[in-house]
Amino acid sequence: MQFLDDSLLPENQAPLVIQVAPYGPQFLPGDSDDIPVTMAEQVQKAVDCWNAGATVLHVHVREADGRGSKRLSMFNEMLARLREAVPQMVLQVGGSISFAPEGEGAQAKWLTDDTRHMLAELDPRPDQVTIAINTNQMNVTELLTAEDCGDTTLGQAAYFQAYKEMWIPSGPAFVEEHLRRLQAAGIQPHFMLGDVGQLETVERLVRRGVYTGPLVLNWVAIGGGADGPNPRNLMEFINRCPEHAVLTVEGLMRHVLPLNTMAIAMGLHVRVGIEDNLWGARGERISSVQQVEQMARIARELHRPVASGSEARQLYRLGEHYATADETLARVGWLPNRQPGQRGTPLRRAA
């Protein structure tokens, strides 16, 4: 991504897309008074976040006992209700489904490849499903302090240890098949990338024609196998993104606010919600709705408009699909593939 002299002026920036992740599957209802449990409460939380300014909803679902659901039927019911309650919102299903441990001390793990592939069969169809790239450690505890965990379930030694040892199973065979199924179903993959190496893998998938659509992604700065919340990491990732990528910044706990403030100023997009962060000022809880309101308020102070639902869909280029690898590279903003016998850096072809 390039920055021109006038790139920081809000009139030259796209409207701000606010993603919200208000369901926090790693937490249990007793961990916060901001965790919706019944289906009606979960839908109302989406409505409240929409009214506050969020246009993209990261969807997980809870069972009646408050634990994260792994049943596709529950996701289908949730999506159907959301389509009625927030019809203009972009519905983004979390590709992990739910990685919360089943019981005290149980391993925190993602479900099998076959189960995750079934996300392409959800009905009604979500707009997006998130996808992680490359099998990797996902130790979400590495950046957490005792203060962050507070009196939540993550403050319990066995539960904390389960999350400390979590990893993402996302090898080449899974990724290629999952992308094939999602694209065939008309669902946009939303890439969740923790570092430049994962972005490079996505570029190779595009160059081989495995993925042929817009590049919509989050930089996931949660440490423990992903980048940490260092501004130098953020700038390197931005530098390596192609021109027409849609980039959202995602952090963890109290790092969310400063990282997202930088994102708003630079014309990028933001993610908030209790899945990522429980805290406002040190020691003070903040709800998902309050986090959305905070992002909208900062954007207004910088004179940058917050995207409407239709603007978010347009920015994400939902529904677009390209015929070839060459067309995808051109539309995303990467240099073309090298042609036989060609030497030197392949230049973009004239339109």
Side-chain angles (χ1 to χ4, degrees):
M1 289 179 165
Q2 302 294 323
F3 289 89
L4 305 177
D5 285 344
D6 60 0
S7 291
L8 299 186
L9 301 179
E11 62 267 25
N12 298 320
Q13 296 175 338
L16 174 68
V17 176
I18 302 176
Q19 292 179 27
V20 64
Y23 300 119
Q26 75 273 37
F27 296 116
L28 296 178
D31 293 338
S32 168
D33 59 7
D34 192 41
I35 294 178
V37 175
T38 69
M39 187 66 71
E41 290 171 342
Q42 292 175 77
V43 172
Q44 184 60 49
K45 185 64 65 177
V47 172
D48 294 342
C49 289
W50 164 261
N51 289 337
T55 47
V56 179
L57 181 71
H58 185 73
V59 178
H60 290 280
V61 187
R62 288 188 187 272
E63 296 281 355
D65 65 359
R67 294 187 179 273
S69 179
K70 298 174 174 64
R71 291 192 292 149
L72 277 261
S73 60
M74 292 287 289
F75 279 80
N76 288 336
E77 180 182 354
M78 178 76 154
L79 289 168
R81 292 196 185 197
L82 290 170
R83 284 293 183 212
E84 292 213 2
V86 283
Q88 296 183 64
M89 213 168 191
V90 176
L91 301 184
Q92 175 195 95
V93 170
S96 63
I97 303 183
S98 177
F99 45 72
E102 290 286 355
E104 183 178 354
Q107 184 182 7
K109 64 180 182 179
W110 291 27
L111 298 189
T112 65
D113 289 358
D114 287 342
T115 303
R116 288 187 288 158
H117 285 324
M118 291 176 67
L119 292 174
E121 303 170 16
L122 288 170
D123 183 22
R125 182 179 65 195
D127 298 296
Q128 295 182 315
V129 166
T130 63
I131 180 170
I133 299 295
N134 298 337
T135 297
N136 199 45
Q137 182 184 359
M138 191 180 177
N139 172 14
V140 295
T141 70
E142 192 171 89
L143 290 177
L144 297 181
T145 66
E147 222 176 19
D148 290 329
C149 297
D151 57 358
T152 72
T153 308
L154 280 173
Q156 300 173 13
Y159 204 82
F160 186 91
Q161 187 66 25
Y163 273 91
K164 185 176 181 179
E165 296 298 330
M166 187 165 65
W167 54 280
I168 305 168
S170 195
F174 165 76
V175 167
E176 293 187 16
E177 178 63 16
H178 204 53
L179 289 173
R180 185 191 69 78
R181 293 194 191 196
L182 292 177
Q183 291 177 101
I187 299 170
Q188 184 181 76
H190 191 116
F191 295 96
M192 310 299 273
L193 306 180
D195 57 44
V196 167
Q198 293 169 20
L199 178 62
E200 288 179 338
T201 295
V202 174
E203 180 177 356
R204 295 180 191 115
L205 290 166
V206 171
R207 291 192 178 280
R208 297 201 309 269
V210 176
Y211 177 64
T212 51
L215 186 62
V216 183
L217 54 92
N218 281 21
W219 174 64
V220 185
I222 60 174
D227 278 343
N230 187 317
R232 294 181 186 274
N233 290 339
L234 173 57
M235 290 310 303
E236 177 60 19
F237 196 90
I238 292 169
N239 287 339
R240 299 293 294 276
C241 281
E243 294 306 311
H244 305 305
V246 181
L247 176 57
T248 294
V249 171
E250 178 179 340
L252 185 67
M253 294 301 182
R254 288 197 296 133
H255 300 291
V256 168
L257 178 57
L259 287 173
N260 278 343
T261 301
M262 288 185 273
I264 294 172
M266 289 188 288
L268 308 177
H269 305 283
V270 300
R271 169 169 145 153
V272 295
I274 63 165
E275 184 170 333
D276 304 335
N277 179 37
L278 297 173
W279 306 101
R282 186 176 182 180
E284 296 179 7
R285 291 295 185 95
I286 188 171
S287 70
S288 293
V289 170
Q290 288 171 328
Q291 291 179 58
V292 174
E293 291 171 339
Q294 186 178 57
M295 292 298 102
R297 185 167 62 250
I298 292 170
R300 285 195 300 271
E301 289 291 333
L302 292 173
H303 309 293
R304 184 178 173 193
V306 174
S308 66
S310 60
E311 287 171 330
R313 290 174 178 278
Q314 184 176 10
L315 285 166
Y316 277 18
R317 287 173 281 169
L318 287 171
E320 285 194 18
H321 185 79
Y322 310 130
T324 64
D326 285 343
E327 182 185 2
T328 308
L329 290 166
R331 297 295 295 269
V332 168
W334 271 313
L335 293 175
N337 281 326
R338 189 182 306 282
Q339 299 303 303
Q342 186 178 24
R343 296 189 178 192
T345 302
L347 299 178
R348 291 188 177 88
R349 300 181 183 88

